[in-house]
Amino acid sequence: MNAVNESFLGGADNGVLRLITAGSVDDGKSTLIGRLLYDSKGVFADQLDAIARAKYKRVAGEGIDFSLLTDGLEAEREQGITIDVAYRYFATPARKFIIADAPGHEQYTRNMVTGASTADAAIILIDATRAADGVLLPQTKRHSTIAKLLGLRHIVVAVNKMDLVDWDQAVFERIHASYAQLAERLGIASFQILPLSALNGDNVVTLSPRTPWYRGEPLLTLLEGLAVDDNGSDQPLRLAVQWVSREGGDRADDFRGYAGRVSSGVLRPGDTVQVQPSGVSAVVREVRLHDRALEAAYAGDSVTVVLDRDVDVSRGDVIVHADAPARVGREFDAELCWLDTQALNPARRYLLKHGTRLTSAKIRALHTRRDIHELQEVPNEAGVLQMNDIGRVSLITRESLAVDAYDDIPSNGAFILIDEATHQTAAAGMLR
């Protein structure tokens, strides 16, 4: 009977690490997460009992099919694949984790994009039996490209199923060399790589005696040591206004505050700020959280800002420090990850959601499309983007937006496109 992990209650809070697992079909992503949950005692006894009796169990004998801990949909268990992103939470005495298990099939690449958009790190799994000659599968290249585009700080390459190649160091070294070439072509500055067996638990939580030639750390120890982003507190201030808070509107001294979430930077009383896109300036009189005043609000805090004078502020505006404004404009270049089953149609208008602002937008030009096999941008001669395509475009919006380049401030450089007719999310975009 697996004991309850009490580190949720008594462990030191060293920050939350948000992970996504990615790779090709049957690389063992779900099994790896299940093994992490099990070995860190993040699984309850009734869960183990349920998967032990599951009719879709694919492990012989009394063994545990760890993939069933994340593949919860009936269709997933029936087909033995991951279809939707599954989120799992667990903790060790050193850190808390949120893991997103992304599908491996090419048709579900868009699910990987949504899962990776909030991640700090990616675990790219490679099946040692299918890459023994050093040739990487297309989805490994595609997911690595997406991880780079989304600016994930840490990439961990897990060479799985090493037990099926007899823990051959030469196989591992060939895969290591191939991924190093891929990382160089994609511009990935650094990555960490390790050999493991998710099914048997080798090098997952503890080092395996089967890899005396591996000098690194087991996966869990490696993840516990990754630096967590400070959520952008060292970046310029960006606060997207969600709504205007009013109280006592029938009096001359009525309260007026502007509620929103600080997505980056730090906001303090006395700061001179600017409301964009209008460009009107004011001084922060007070920063409030519920009924108390704060000395400072940091990235991630949802607060109400009171200014020293009444200015025109409405939902969708962005409050910035006057000496570090965002770029204001209507025309932008961006990279789109197309998510909709209907291809991009340049003749149509789409709704663009940026922060709390919703406006209409039109694609003015489609410049290039990323060729995953050649790992480069190629001219988009077809003039369309199909589902799961990634391409660079120019677009124009009906209203002015206060934006930053995604590489500089991801929270203010990301947006989505919405189909006006179906209200489906059509694309995830990154301003360049």
Side-chain angles (χ1 to χ4, degrees):
M1 187 171 182
N2 208 28
V4 175
N5 187 349
E6 296 181 355
S7 56
F8 281 110
L9 303 176
D13 186 3
N14 294 331
V16 177
L17 183 69
R18 293 171 173 83
L19 296 165
I20 185 166
T21 57
S24 299
V25 179
D26 288 332
D27 279 350
K29 299 177 294 297
S30 300
T31 300
L32 176 61
I33 295 178
R35 170 60 74 173
L36 273 172
L37 292 170
Y38 180 79
D39 286 355
S40 63
K41 301 192 184 302
V43 184
F44 292 105
D46 59 340
Q47 292 176 291
L48 291 175
D49 183 59
I51 65 173
R53 292 182 286 103
K55 64 179 178 178
Y56 298 118
K57 178 181 173 183
R58 293 185 297 158
V59 175
E62 298 298 321
I64 301 173
D65 186 350
F66 293 108
S67 67
L68 298 182
L69 289 171
T70 56
D71 290 342
L73 298 177
E74 183 78 7
E76 292 178 322
R77 295 188 173 190
E78 183 178 27
Q79 299 178 57
I81 63 173
T82 300
I83 295 175
D84 200 3
V85 178
Y87 293 90
R88 292 295 180 266
Y89 313 87
F90 75 100
T92 69
R95 165 164 284 168
K96 294 180 175 66
F97 297 89
I98 300 176
I99 302 186
D101 182 19
H105 281 69
E106 181 177 347
Q107 71 186 91
Y108 300 125
T109 301
R110 56 182 180 172
N111 301 56
M112 189 270 179
V113 173
T114 60
S117 63
T118 57
D120 302 304
I123 302 176
I124 306 291
L125 269 82
I126 297 177
D127 184 338
T129 65
R130 293 192 286 178
D133 56 358
V135 178
L136 302 179
L137 296 178
Q139 278 299 79
T140 301
K141 299 177 182 179
R142 188 184 298 270
H143 288 164
S144 298
T145 300
I146 293 172
K148 168 60 179 174
L149 286 175
L150 293 176
L152 270 64
R153 295 184 60 193
H154 305 287
I155 293 180
V156 178
V157 180
V159 183
N160 192 25
K161 303 185 183 180
M162 284 294 297
D163 54 314
L164 300 183
V165 295
D166 297 323
W167 299 100
D168 190 340
Q169 182 180 359
V171 171
F172 177 77
E173 295 298 342
R174 283 195 293 271
I175 295 173
H176 188 177
S178 295
Y179 197 86
Q181 293 178 356
L182 172 65
E184 183 178 2
R185 295 183 67 181
L186 293 178
I188 297 173
S190 64
F191 65 93
Q192 294 170 286
I193 187 169
L194 73 161
L196 55 79
S197 169
L199 184 62
N200 300 319
D202 296 278
N203 291 335
V204 176
V205 173
T206 58
L207 285 175
S208 171
R210 299 177 179 85
T211 53
W213 41 267
Y214 172 62
R215 303 299 181 187
E217 299 173 314
L219 179 62
L220 184 59
T221 304
L222 191 157
L223 297 177
E224 288 176 334
L226 295 181
V228 177
D229 194 357
D230 59 3
N231 294 324
S233 291
D234 60 341
Q235 296 174 336
L237 171 69
R238 300 291 183 263
L239 186 153
V241 177
Q242 294 183 359
W243 62 295
V244 179
S245 176
R246 297 291 305 275
E247 182 181 346
D250 57 338
R251 304 194 308 268
D253 59 346
D254 65 308
F255 173 86
R256 178 181 297 173
Y258 309 104
R261 181 178 180 272
V262 180
S263 59
S264 64
V266 182
L267 181 65
R268 294 182 174 88
D271 288 351
T272 300
V273 297
Q274 188 179 105
V275 180
Q276 292 187 298
S278 68
V280 177
S281 296
V283 175
V284 177
R285 190 176 73 196
E286 198 173 24
V287 179
R288 302 193 64 82
L289 177 62
H290 303 303
D291 58 349
R292 62 187 177 92
L294 300 178
E295 294 183 0
Y298 299 90
D301 291 343
S302 295
V303 297
T304 299
V305 182
V306 182
L307 302 178
D308 66 336
R309 63 192 187 94
D310 290 339
V311 297
D312 183 10
V313 183
S314 58
R315 177 180 172 83
D317 289 343
V318 179
I319 295 177
V320 304
H321 282 141
D323 57 354
R327 176 197 166 194
V328 174
R330 295 177 55 233
E331 299 184 32
F332 310 99
D333 287 338
E335 204 142 24
L336 295 181
C337 298
W338 198 256
L339 309 178
D340 202 353
T341 54
Q342 293 188 4
L344 183 153
N345 184 350
R348 296 184 57 186
R349 283 190 175 273
Y350 293 89
L351 295 175
L352 186 149
K353 184 78 161 56
H354 172 260
T356 55
R357 173 83 67 184
L358 183 66
T359 185
S360 64
K362 186 173 177 59
I363 308 298
R364 300 192 68 177
L366 284 80
H367 303 297
T368 59
R369 178 181 58 81
R370 284 191 178 267
D371 188 314
I372 298 300
H373 300 284
E374 297 298 326
L375 299 177
Q376 61 184 3
E377 291 184 315
V378 296
N380 192 342
E381 297 175 353
V384 296
L385 289 178
Q386 302 285 350
M387 185 177 71
N388 297 323
D389 279 348
I390 301 171
R392 189 177 291 268
V393 304
S394 293
L395 52 85
I396 183 170
T397 59
R398 182 183 61 193
E399 301 172 279
S400 294
L401 303 177
V403 303
D404 294 280
Y406 184 87
D407 292 338
D408 297 332
I409 307 180
S411 59
N412 201 47
F415 65 92
I416 61 172
L417 292 181
I418 302 169
D419 189 303
E420 280 190 321
T422 65
H423 294 283
Q424 289 273 84
T425 300
M430 294 154 284
L431 294 165
R432 301 301 186 188

